[in-house]
Amino acid sequence: WINKEDHIMKKFLTIILALVMALSLMACGSSPAQDPGSDGTETPVVTDGATLGEGAHSFTLEITDADGKTITATINTDEETVGAALLKLNIVQGEDSEYGLYVKTVNGITADYDKDQTYWSFYIDGEYAQTGVDMTAIADGSTYKLAIETMAQ
C-alpha cells in the first residue's frame, strides 16, 4: 500500500516535471526571422549604401518604395541571375508563376495588386525590363531597379 502522503508527493512531483518539460519545449520553439508588422512590412534587409553578399559578380540595386524614396546598394554574388541573387540574400519574396517569379515583397515592403493595384516593376539600366528578375542574367556593373508602381486604370 502507498500511504496518502506518498501519493500526494508523487502527484506533486509529476505536475512539477510536466511544467518543467512544457517550459523547456516552449523555450526551444522558434519564431519567424521577420514578423510582418501591422502595416504589412517586414524588417528591411537592404539599407542605403550597403554592400551585400560575396561573389564574382557585382551590380547596383535600387529600390523605390510607394512614397518615391529610393535606396541604393551594391550586390555581390556568384549567382547567374538577378532573381537568384536577390532571393538568396532574402531581398525579394514572391510566388512562382507560369511567367517566372512574381515578386510581391522587396526589402520587407509588399505590393498587393489585389488590394490597391500596386506591383513591383523591374528596370535594367533605367529601361523597363522585358524579362523578369529570375530570367535576367547578371551583367556586371549594371543597375537593376525594383520600384512600386500602380497599374493605370
Side-chain angles (χ1 to χ4, degrees), residues 82-95:
V82 175
L86 299 180
L87 282 167
K88 184 172 185 176
L89 292 171
N90 203 32
I91 296 170
V92 300
Q93 292 84 41
E95 298 174 356

Side-chain angles (χ1 to χ4, degrees), residues 1-28:
W1 292 93
I2 298 177
N3 68 32
K4 187 175 184 179
E5 288 177 8
D6 285 342
H7 185 68
I8 291 171
M9 183 59 84
K10 285 183 181 182
K11 275 189 173 184
F12 177 74
L13 290 174
T14 302
I15 291 170
I16 295 296
L17 182 60
L19 285 173
V20 168
M21 289 175 56
L23 290 173
S24 296
L25 288 173
M26 287 173 40
C28 291

Side-chain angles (χ1 to χ4, degrees), residues 29-94:
S30 63
S31 59
Q34 296 180 341
D35 291 330
S38 59
D39 60 355
T41 62
E42 297 178 356
T43 305
V45 175
V46 181
T47 56
D48 198 36
T51 298
L52 300 171
E54 296 179 0
H57 301 295
S58 180
F59 63 88
T60 300
L61 175 66
E62 294 178 352
I63 301 170
T64 302
D65 66 17
D67 296 328
K69 180 184 174 205
T70 299
I71 61 172
T72 303
T74 300
I75 306 298
N76 298 311
T77 186
D78 285 326
E79 299 295 329
E80 296 300 317
T81 67
V82 175
L86 299 180
L87 282 167
K88 184 172 185 176
L89 292 171
N90 203 32
I91 296 170
V92 300
Q93 292 84 41

Side-chain angles (χ1 to χ4, degrees), residues 96-100 135:
D96 287 323
S97 74
E98 62 184 291
Y99 304 107
M135 295 181 188

